[in-house]
Amino acid sequence: MKLYTFDPAPNAQRIALFLHYKGIELDTQQIDMGSAEQLSDSYRAINPDCTLPALQLEDGTVLSPVIGIATYLESVYPDRPLMGTDALERAQVIGWCHKLYNGLMTAVASVLRNSSKAFENRGLPGPQDLPQIPALAERGRLQLTHLLPALDQELSQRPWLAGEHFSFADIDLKVALDFMSWVKQTVPEDCNHLNGWYLRAGAELA
């Protein structure tokens, strides 16, 4: 297997922390998103979606959505499970990963891609050049004001996001919260459960 990635990017960090937690080492190649290397012909030949990370298997199959990569690696490396240990736990973990990606992660990305000069004409990831829409940045900031207290309430009910055990959902949440610093946003001080969880998650991944 070979992993194509760009370490600073949030989606790459999701897989990097997954690998770190499980102690998995993969052949890895950095693709420099800062210079738009993900849009090069050579990388398009590997992943036409022009997204990172991407995992190329021995038979040439390429997995690019992070949840697909994590699901595959979990089946190959089951020790220190991160995707649940039974059908219900797996459903809860994947459900939370989906909610975080479409909620918190997308809200932050909307702010970044629609307000930063570095993403001019790159309103969305992928091969197409798309214009920035400033209103989407404002909507993303507004989403954060609703999503963070809701997550705080969820974490008042159990130790980890998807239940009693640390999981890939917790990795996704930590990465999303760290990603907020890219747009100068922080977790409110009164979100005590979320802030406490963040410290415990960091210790779990140390």
Side-chain angles (χ1 to χ4, degrees), residues 13-26:
Q13 291 174 22
R14 295 166 67 195
I15 289 299
L17 289 174
F18 182 99
L19 297 175
H20 170 73
Y21 184 83
K22 284 178 169 284
I24 302 169
E25 295 185 4
L26 296 178

Side-chain angles (χ1 to χ4, degrees), residues 146-158:
H146 295 286
L147 291 169
L148 296 171
L151 286 164
D152 184 68
Q153 175 61 28
E154 290 286 348
L155 288 164
S156 73
Q157 303 173 43
R158 52 192 177 275

Side-chain angles (χ1 to χ4, degrees), residues 104-201:
L104 188 57
M105 188 73 82
T106 296
V108 179
S110 293
V111 177
L112 180 67
R113 284 189 169 272
N114 290 285
S115 63
S116 171
K117 290 183 179 180
F119 288 91
E120 188 173 0
N121 294 321
R122 297 296 301 160
L124 288 172
Q128 300 89 11
D129 288 334
L130 296 170
Q132 293 177 317
I133 302 174
L136 293 180
E138 293 306 313
R139 187 180 72 178
R141 292 187 182 94
L142 181 61
Q143 280 182 281
L144 293 178
T145 68
H146 295 286
L147 291 169
L148 296 171
L151 286 164
D152 184 68
Q153 175 61 28
E154 290 286 348
L155 288 164
S156 73
Q157 303 173 43
R158 52 192 177 275
W160 302 109
L161 191 56
E164 296 299 313
H165 305 290
F166 183 83
S167 75
F168 191 48
D170 296 290
I171 288 177
D172 274 4
L173 179 54
K174 185 177 187 305
V175 170
L177 295 181
D178 289 340
F179 187 28
M180 286 171 47
S181 68
W182 290 34
V183 294
K184 300 180 180 179
Q185 300 290 312
T186 58
V187 176
E189 290 185 7
D190 60 359
C191 287
N192 296 320
H193 302 290
L194 183 54
N195 283 310
W197 167 91
Y198 183 85
L199 294 175
R200 289 187 289 108

Side-chain angles (χ1 to χ4, degrees), residues 53-147:
L55 180 66
Q56 188 171 48
L57 308 184
E58 286 84 352
D59 66 357
T61 299
V62 175
L63 304 174
S64 58
V66 170
I67 193 66
I69 296 173
T71 300
Y72 178 81
L73 290 174
E74 179 85 354
S75 68
V76 177
Y77 301 96
D79 289 345
R80 300 198 81 191
L82 282 170
M83 305 291 286
T85 57
D86 59 31
L88 178 57
E89 285 186 1
R90 283 191 293 274
Q92 290 170 326
V93 171
I94 292 172
W96 269 109
C97 290
H98 181 76
K99 288 171 70 174
L100 288 168
Y101 186 81
N102 285 291
L104 188 57
M105 188 73 82
T106 296
V108 179
S110 293
V111 177
L112 180 67
R113 284 189 169 272
N114 290 285
S115 63
S116 171
K117 290 183 179 180
F119 288 91
E120 188 173 0
N121 294 321
R122 297 296 301 160
L124 288 172
Q128 300 89 11
D129 288 334
L130 296 170
Q132 293 177 317
I133 302 174
L136 293 180
E138 293 306 313
R139 187 180 72 178
R141 292 187 182 94
L142 181 61
Q143 280 182 281
L144 293 178
T145 68
H146 295 286
L147 291 169

